[in-house]
Amino acid sequence: METLSRFLVFMFLFSRFVSGFTLQNLPVTSFEESYTQLFGDKNFFVHKDGKSVRLTLDERTGSGFVSNDLYLHGLFSASIKLPSDYSAGVVVAFYMSNGDMYEKNHDEIDFEFLGNIRGKEWRIQTNIYGNGSTHLGREERSNLWFDPTEDYHQYSILWSDSHIIFFVDNIPIREVKRTASMGGHFPSKPMSLYTTIWDGSKWATNGGKYGVNYKYAPYVAKLTDLVLHGCAVDPIEQFPKCDEGADEDIRAAQEISPSQRVKMGAFRRKHMTYSYCYDRNRYKVALPECVVNPAEAQRLRVHDPVTFGGIPRRHRNGKHRSRRSRVVGAESI
């Protein structure tokens, strides 16, 4: 019997190692228990079940909500269904920030969903800031392998003292490992979780070429299965208190399994369209935490030889753009 028990434990641990931590099993919290409306008046709606939220953008305002607690590390997740049809200029953001507490040296971890013109797909952008390092963009942008307007899909952030991992439907799409060379640029101060929908006409779609067209409003984002599973911090004592099992789950989730790593590689090969690590117009030398993948670099150079091949951008009259223009150009991909 003891031998059988040991075998079953071994098989459980082996299975977890191969397949990876399952984010679908995280505890879901009610809105009333864990969140507060941030803005939006009647454009914000909580369903009777207390666990589903509707965010609306129209010509009056967007809408959003914020977690009641600050967190120092954890697993944060929501299942989201994005607005359909023409959505250029619309931004749906699921992110962590402490900008209200640290105006000049804030931290941030972003999932941003960028709308598009009719017939073009939504894009997903991830980014991080640490200690106010907003002058250094660490964006990555990708397409998705599904239509995010047809059904709910799970988007998750893992944040520990050594890793940040972005997941889509339990598939890791980006991993950021803390390195000594990053210094204070790795998010390290307690943050709140925010979810918002707003008008990003100036930059979100083709660098502002296409803005929000309110004849297609209202734009509605639907959310359910909201997860805050981590270490809440008392704002006065600044001491984190972790949910039951959170420490173990954070450690398990940051260990990307062989199966998950294969899926992450496949996602990046097929769907990633921009990474700051390969943008030679913004950074002549890749930032220190970047792990350059030669195959990834070559694929992006073929996709956009100007951005990823270091070829200077030019105005139509042949003059070089300013550095600011090049950065804006990179953001429009």
Side-chain angles (χ1 to χ4, degrees):
M1 181 63 70
E2 184 179 348
T3 302
L4 177 60
S5 297
R6 288 179 178 178
F7 175 75
L8 292 174
V9 170
F10 169 78
M11 290 303 297
F12 170 77
L13 294 174
F14 180 75
S15 174
R16 171 172 278 199
F17 169 75
V18 172
S19 60
F21 183 81
T22 302
L23 295 164
Q24 283 89 343
N25 296 334
L26 294 175
V28 174
T29 59
S30 69
F31 185 88
E32 183 178 358
E33 176 187 0
S34 303
Y35 304 91
T36 300
Q37 181 178 354
L38 188 63
F39 68 102
D41 193 26
K42 294 182 180 179
N43 281 6
F44 174 87
F45 177 77
V46 180
H47 288 264
K48 291 181 180 179
D49 65 5
K51 298 180 180 180
S52 302
V53 180
R54 187 175 68 216
L55 300 180
T56 298
L57 167 68
D58 59 22
E59 61 276 0
R60 296 181 303 109
T61 182
S63 52
F65 61 92
V66 60
S67 63
N68 293 334
D69 291 324
L70 293 162
Y71 290 86
L72 184 64
H73 309 142
L75 288 155
F76 310 94
S77 183
S79 292
I80 304 174
K81 184 179 180 182
L82 296 173
S84 59
D85 203 2
Y86 182 99
S87 57
V90 177
V91 178
V92 176
F94 176 73
Y95 67 104
M96 306 197 71
S97 177
N98 49 32
D100 57 338
M101 297 179 61
Y102 303 96
E103 185 176 346
K104 295 183 179 180
N105 62 333
H106 84 286
D107 304 317
E108 200 166 304
I109 304 173
D110 298 337
F111 252 129
E112 292 176 312
F113 306 91
L114 311 180
N116 219 327
I117 60 175
R118 182 175 287 167
K120 299 288 186 179
E121 55 199 1
W122 280 78
R123 294 161 303 151
I124 190 169
Q125 175 168 284
T126 58
N127 200 0
I128 68 166
Y129 298 115
N131 206 32
S133 58
T134 55
H135 62 292
L136 295 175
R138 289 180 163 90
E139 304 96 335
E140 287 194 352
R141 269 184 299 284
S142 305
N143 300 317
L144 293 164
W145 64 95
F146 52 82
D147 183 346
T149 72
E150 290 186 345
D151 204 352
Y152 289 90
H153 291 270
Q154 185 187 37
Y155 305 93
S156 310
I157 296 169
L158 167 114
W159 174 38
S160 73
D161 61 354
S162 60
H163 287 71
I164 295 169
I165 304 175
F166 298 88
F167 296 85
V168 177
D169 288 342
N170 206 44
I171 295 174
I173 65 166
R174 179 181 180 185
E175 177 185 30
V176 180
K177 292 182 179 180
R178 186 174 195 165
T179 64
S181 55
M182 287 184 74
H185 292 178
F186 189 92
S188 59
K189 298 186 291 295
M191 292 188 279
S192 301
L193 181 75
Y194 294 81
T195 307
T196 58
I197 184 170
W198 50 282
D199 186 330
S201 291
K202 293 183 178 180
W203 67 275
T205 308
N206 286 44
K209 181 178 179 180
Y210 303 103
V212 175
N213 187 334
Y214 285 105
K215 79 175 185 179
Y216 297 101
Y219 298 99
V220 179
K222 299 177 180 180
L223 299 94
T224 190
D225 296 338
L226 306 172
V227 171
L228 293 168
H229 186 51
C231 304
V233 176
D234 185 291
I236 298 176
E237 297 181 358
Q238 292 286 300
F239 184 78
K241 182 180 180 181
C242 298
D243 297 337
E244 183 178 355
D247 273 341
E248 179 183 348
D249 289 341
I250 292 168
R251 285 194 297 270
Q254 75 181 20
E255 297 298 327
I256 297 178
S257 71
S259 173
Q260 286 179 313
R261 199 162 289 282
V262 168
K263 291 177 181 178
M264 181 168 69
F267 171 85
R268 295 175 70 84
R269 285 193 302 274
K270 295 177 182 178
H271 302 288
M272 188 175 72
T273 60
Y274 177 83
S275 171
Y276 74 101
C277 285
Y278 303 105
D279 188 340
R280 292 298 169 260
N281 277 308
R282 294 176 76 184
Y283 306 112
K284 299 303 179 185
V285 177
L287 295 185
E289 73 275 8
C290 290
V291 178
V292 175
N293 180 322
E296 211 166 64
Q298 176 59 25
R299 186 182 65 78
L300 290 173
R301 276 196 297 271
V302 172
H303 171 74
D304 184 349
V306 174
T307 299
F308 303 111
I311 301 172
R313 297 180 184 270
R314 296 177 180 272
H315 284 306
R316 290 179 180 176
N317 62 9
K319 293 182 179 179
H320 290 288
R321 294 186 184 185
S322 67
R323 183 182 184 278
R324 171 61 183 162
S325 296
R326 293 203 299 271
V327 172
V328 171
E331 291 171 352
S332 69
I333 297 168

